[in-house]
């Protein structure tokens, strides 16, 4: 299970995106997670063993197998956190994340 309190959110060096870095590194089963997200009605733009790319509320969001989440082209903390919380909620609804 991904726990929101185990992530640190910060504006990227580019000042154009927000990244949420886990305090511990995960090894997420992204192909399975991508399949489950699609089955739950969420569109996944890119699905590889290393990264999932989704569109959430008009923002491109990358989820890496290490657990890092990048909310691209969003530099407002509140909006980035809302998108982050949405992705974590979607992911935690998937059976493959319960095993992590």
């Amino acid at each position: 299970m991904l726990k929101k309190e185990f992530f640190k959110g910060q504006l990227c060096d580019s000042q154009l995106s927000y990244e949420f870095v886990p305090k511990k590194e995960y090894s997420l089963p992204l192909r399975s997670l991508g399949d489950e997200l699609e089955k739950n009605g969420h569109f996944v733009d890119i699905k590889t063993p290393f990264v999932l790319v989704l569109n959430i509320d008009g923002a491109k969001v990358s989820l890496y197998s290490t657990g890092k989440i990048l909310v691209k082209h969003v530099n407002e903390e509140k909006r980035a956190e809302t998108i982050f919380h949405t992705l974590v909620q979607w992911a935690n609804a998937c059976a493959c994340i319960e095993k992590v």
Side-chain angles (χ1 to χ4, degrees), residues 28-98:
L28 299 176
L30 293 185
R31 285 204 187 261
S32 299
L33 178 57
D35 290 344
E36 285 192 59
L37 287 170
E38 289 176 330
K39 190 166 69 172
N40 291 337
H42 307 296
F43 181 74
V44 179
D45 290 332
I46 298 172
K47 181 173 43 174
T48 76
F50 310 104
V51 66
L52 292 180
V53 179
L54 302 98
N55 186 321
I56 300 175
D57 193 26
K60 288 281 187 187
V61 181
S62 297
L63 171 61
Y64 297 89
S65 60
T66 60
K68 178 181 172 181
I69 297 170
L70 182 63
V71 181
K72 300 176 184 175
H73 306 294
V74 173
N75 59 4
E76 300 162 4
E77 182 177 8
K78 191 169 199 117
R79 182 164 181 249
E81 285 181 353
T82 299
I83 293 167
F84 164 76
H85 289 287
T86 298
L87 178 57
V88 168
Q89 181 181 8
W90 290 357
N92 284 337
C94 296
C96 68
I97 292 299
E98 292 178 10

Side-chain angles (χ1 to χ4, degrees), residues 1-4 6-7 24 26 28 88 91-94 96-100:
M1 175 156 294
L2 300 179
K3 297 194 179 209
K4 296 173 233 177
F6 294 156
F7 284 81
K24 75 166 194 145
Y26 290 92
L28 299 176
V88 168
N92 284 337
C94 296
C96 68
I97 292 299
E98 292 178 10
K99 302 172 190 172
V100 174

